[in-house]
Amino acid sequence: MSVLAAASGAPSIATQLAGSGLIGLREGLEAGIVVMILVAFLVKSERRDAVKWVWLGVGVAVAMVAATFLVIHFGTSTLDGLAAEIAAGIASLVAVVIVTAMVLWMRKAARSISGDLKSGMEKALIVGPSAVLALAFFAVGREGLETALLMVGYAENTAGSAWPLIGLLLGIALAAVLTVLMYLGAVRIDMARFFKFTGAFLVVVAAGILAYGVRALQTGGLLPGAGNLAFDVSGHYDAGSWYGTVLGGILNVRPDPTVLQFGAWLIYLVIVLFLFLRPVTSAEPAPVADESAVV
C-alpha cells in the first residue's frame, strides 16, 4: 500500500464509488458506442453472421484490459517502502500521459469515428472473420486501456480498497444499459455535451494523479524538493469532512503540496483544459451531438 495513501487515509466509500463510477460511465459509453456502430453496420448490411466475431473481439479486449490493470496494480501493491512509491509514481505518470493523449484525440476524432469504423468494417468483411475480430478488439481495447491506466492511478489513493473497482463496474454496467437503450432508440443523449463535461472531469482527475505521481517520486528520492512545501493548510483542512473526502478522494488534493507537486498540477490543468475546451475551428471536426443518429 502506498505510504502517501496510508498517510492521508482512504476516501469515503461514497467518494470512491462516485469517482470511479463516473470514469466507468464515461469510458463504458465510449466503448459501447463503438460496439453499437459496428453491430448496427453489420445488421444494416445483412451480415449478422459476423456479429459473433465482433463480440469475440470485444471479449478478448476486455480480458486484455483486465489483465493489464491487474498486472500493473498488483505489481505495484506487492512492493514496500520507497520502491512502492517509485513504482506508483512511474505508473501514475505513464497513466497521465496516455489518458491525456486519448482524451485530446477523442475531442478531434469524435465526428469521424463512425465513418472510420464503418469503412474499417467494410474492409474487414472482405478479409474475413479474423479481421472483424481484430477491428473490434483494437477499437474497444483502445478505450479499455485508457480506463485501466486511469484506474491504476486513481486506485493508488484508496489504500487498497475494492470500492473503486466496484464503482467502475457499476458505471460500466450503467453505460451498457444506456448503450442498449440508445441502440433501440429509447434514449437519446447529447453526446457532445456529455463527453465535454466528462472529458473535463477526466482532465481534472488526471491532474490529481499527476500530482500524486510527482509526490510519490519525491518521496522515493527520484525528484527533488520533498520537504519544500508550497503551502500547508492542514490546520484548516478537515480530511474527514464532505469537501475533504471529495477533494482528496476524487481530485487527489492535499493540504500540504510541495512546490514541484503544486506547480505540476497547476501547469498541467491550465494547459490541458485549454487544449480540451478551446473552441473547435472549421478545420477541426466537432464532436457529434448525438452519436446514436449516425449508426
Side-chain angles (χ1 to χ4, degrees):
M1 179 176 66
S2 167
V3 174
L4 294 179
S8 59
S12 70
I13 292 175
T15 301
Q16 296 176 49
L17 287 174
S20 60
L22 187 53
I23 292 173
L25 178 60
R26 150 86 188 203
E27 301 303 323
L29 266 181
E30 282 191 11
I33 287 172
V34 167
V35 176
M36 181 175 64
I37 292 172
L38 295 177
V39 171
F41 177 80
L42 291 175
V43 171
K44 290 182 178 180
S45 302
E46 298 183 352
R47 288 299 307 271
R48 293 176 181 269
D49 59 295
V51 172
K52 62 178 178 292
W53 298 109
V54 170
W55 289 118
L56 183 57
V58 171
V60 175
V62 171
M64 180 270 294
V65 170
T68 300
F69 173 79
L70 292 175
V71 168
I72 297 177
H73 179 58
F74 288 111
T76 57
S77 64
T78 56
L79 300 175
D80 295 318
L82 297 183
E85 293 301 325
I86 293 174
I90 293 175
S92 297
L93 297 187
V94 171
V96 169
V97 170
I98 296 179
V99 169
T100 303
M102 289 185 173
V103 167
L104 295 179
W105 173 83
M106 176 55 73
R107 175 185 182 274
K108 296 180 180 180
R111 170 167 290 176
S112 62
I113 190 171
S114 178
D116 293 342
L117 287 171
K118 292 176 181 178
S119 175
M121 182 56 75
E122 286 181 342
K123 298 175 182 176
L125 287 172
I126 296 174
V127 176
S130 60
V132 175
L133 187 153
L135 176 63
F137 169 79
F138 286 112
V140 175
R142 178 180 58 213
E143 307 297 339
L145 183 61
E146 177 184 0
T147 306
L149 292 173
L150 190 59
M151 281 303 299
V152 166
Y154 182 82
E156 288 297 338
N157 196 41
T158 60
S161 171
W163 288 111
L165 180 59
I166 295 174
L168 177 72
L169 295 177
L170 290 175
I172 292 175
L174 178 57
V177 172
L178 289 176
T179 301
V180 171
L181 293 176
M182 289 168 59
Y183 180 79
L184 297 175
V187 171
R188 299 181 71 86
I189 299 175
D190 187 340
M191 300 306 299
R193 179 170 298 180
F194 174 82
F195 284 123
K196 180 177 181 180
F197 284 115
T198 56
F201 167 78
L202 290 186
V203 171
V204 175
V205 170
I209 294 174
L210 172 64
Y212 171 86
V214 170
R215 186 65 171 260
L217 292 180
Q218 287 181 307
T219 303
L222 292 188
L223 290 177
N228 189 12
L229 300 183
F231 53 83
D232 187 353
V233 295
S234 301
H236 307 283
Y237 182 88
D238 183 4
S241 65
W242 68 267
Y243 65 84
T245 57
V246 171
L247 293 178
I250 298 179
L251 307 182
N252 223 328
V253 172
R254 291 176 58 98
D256 57 345
T258 65
V259 172
L260 181 60
Q261 181 184 21
F262 180 74
W265 174 84
L266 183 61
I267 292 172
Y268 173 88
L269 201 59
V270 170
I271 293 177
V272 179
L273 276 181
F274 170 76
L275 293 176
F276 181 76
L277 297 175
R278 73 189 190 279
V280 178
T281 64
S282 57
E284 191 175 61
V288 294
D290 187 353
E291 188 67 50
S292 62
V294 299
V295 299

